[in-house]
Amino acid sequence: MAAARTPSTSTTSDRSPRPAPPLRRILAHAELETRILLSNGEQLTVAVVLPAMVLIGLWLLPLGRIDGVPAVDTAVAATFATALISTSFTSQAILTGFDRRNGVLRWVATSPLGRGGYLAGKILATLATHVLQVIALGAIALLIGWRPDLLGLLATVPVWLTGTVAFGTLGLVIAGTLRTEAVLAVSNLVFVLLVGAGGVAFPTSAYPRILGGLVDLLPSGALGELMRACFASGTFSLGSAVVLLAWAVAGVLAVMRWFRWTDS
């Protein structure tokens, strides 16, 4: 009589569920993060409505203009900088702060996605949202007379990527070190100050000399100057590029040093 056949260990293990490949996990998380960003009314207001208001306001009002440059060009430069800061900094700070308070980050750290996958998904979601912002805001700008220059658009790409890292890491530092209630207040207050007085809406040349020098050292001031160089026939400033890159590097190091994955 033949002995009863028992399933081998290898057969059993082959049938056990396995996590998806790393890239698929990251893309799935990026899709989830993007849907959360675009389905939240408050975040959508910050990402599109407020930058659109900046665009229309600076186009109609004699504010932040550069002599000899069409008003719509300076308005577009300030608007795209505002859009970048709103999504990379404000939205990500708030969403990550709530994830940390609700224990999502603690769970992610032990899941197959992992901490690196979580951060990579957030970066991809931020860039995807930026693309949608550029399309929506660019369409409004075209309707009011904006005529973009191809070289200017291409030059914006490295500026945009560096700015996304600089402001995204700044948002993560705030979300990973403060309590959620403080994250809400600080991220919104800093956003308003950076856009209104940090070199985004107004060129640094419009400030008194001492104050203008301080604004030049802010990531918002550097981003604003570089955006005006790309879209408003401004002069490219190597100093602004170095400042923005320095903030990006410092932000990455700060996240590695101080970001906490739990509230405890």
Side-chain angles (χ1 to χ4, degrees):
M1 189 173 185
R5 204 170 168 185
T6 57
S8 65
T9 305
S10 60
T11 304
T12 303
S13 61
D14 288 344
R15 293 179 179 177
S16 60
R18 295 180 178 179
L23 180 58
R24 186 179 299 176
R25 297 197 297 267
I26 292 172
L27 292 177
H29 181 62
E31 180 184 358
L32 174 63
E33 290 279 348
T34 304
R35 283 194 280 110
I36 291 174
L37 273 170
L38 298 178
S39 63
N40 186 299
E42 179 182 350
Q43 301 302 325
L44 194 60
T45 298
V46 172
V48 178
V49 177
L50 288 180
M53 292 173 63
V54 170
L55 173 61
I56 300 301
L58 292 180
W59 174 56
L60 293 175
L61 300 175
L63 300 173
R65 298 187 179 183
I66 301 174
D67 292 339
V69 177
V72 66
D73 289 351
T74 55
V76 166
T79 298
F80 282 166
T82 301
L84 187 153
I85 297 172
S86 68
T87 298
S88 298
F89 171 70
T90 311
S91 294
Q92 288 302 338
I94 293 172
L95 291 176
T96 306
F98 275 103
D99 280 351
R100 187 165 73 100
R101 188 186 70 175
N102 295 333
V104 174
L105 299 189
R106 180 184 300 175
W107 171 80
V108 164
T110 59
S111 72
L113 179 64
R115 298 180 178 182
Y118 175 83
L119 294 176
K122 274 194 169 294
I123 293 171
L124 291 177
T126 301
L127 292 175
T129 305
H130 283 325
V131 171
L132 297 176
Q133 285 178 299
V134 169
I135 293 173
L137 297 170
I140 297 174
L142 289 173
L143 289 175
I144 61 176
W146 180 48
R147 297 298 177 262
D149 176 69
L150 180 58
L151 291 179
L153 291 175
L154 293 176
T156 309
V157 175
V159 174
W160 201 292
L161 292 175
T162 307
T164 297
V165 175
F167 286 97
T169 52
L170 181 58
L172 288 176
V173 169
I174 290 176
T177 55
L178 303 179
R179 299 191 67 84
T180 306
E181 295 75 11
V183 171
L184 281 169
V186 171
S187 60
N188 282 301
L189 177 61
V190 171
F191 169 70
V192 172
L193 290 176
L194 291 180
V195 173
V200 172
F202 309 103
T204 53
S205 59
Y207 296 86
R209 178 170 298 181
I210 296 178
L211 185 57
L214 295 176
V215 172
D216 278 332
L217 297 177
L218 296 175
S220 54
L223 179 65
E225 289 301 303
L226 292 172
M227 285 293 188
R228 278 183 282 272
C230 294
F231 292 117
S233 303
T235 302
F236 177 80
S237 171
L238 180 60
S240 295
V242 171
V243 168
L244 190 61
L245 182 60
W247 275 96
V249 173
V252 172
L253 296 176
V255 170
M256 294 171 61
R257 174 65 179 83
W258 289 299
F259 187 84
R260 299 197 308 265
W261 291 80
T262 65
D263 258 344
S264 56

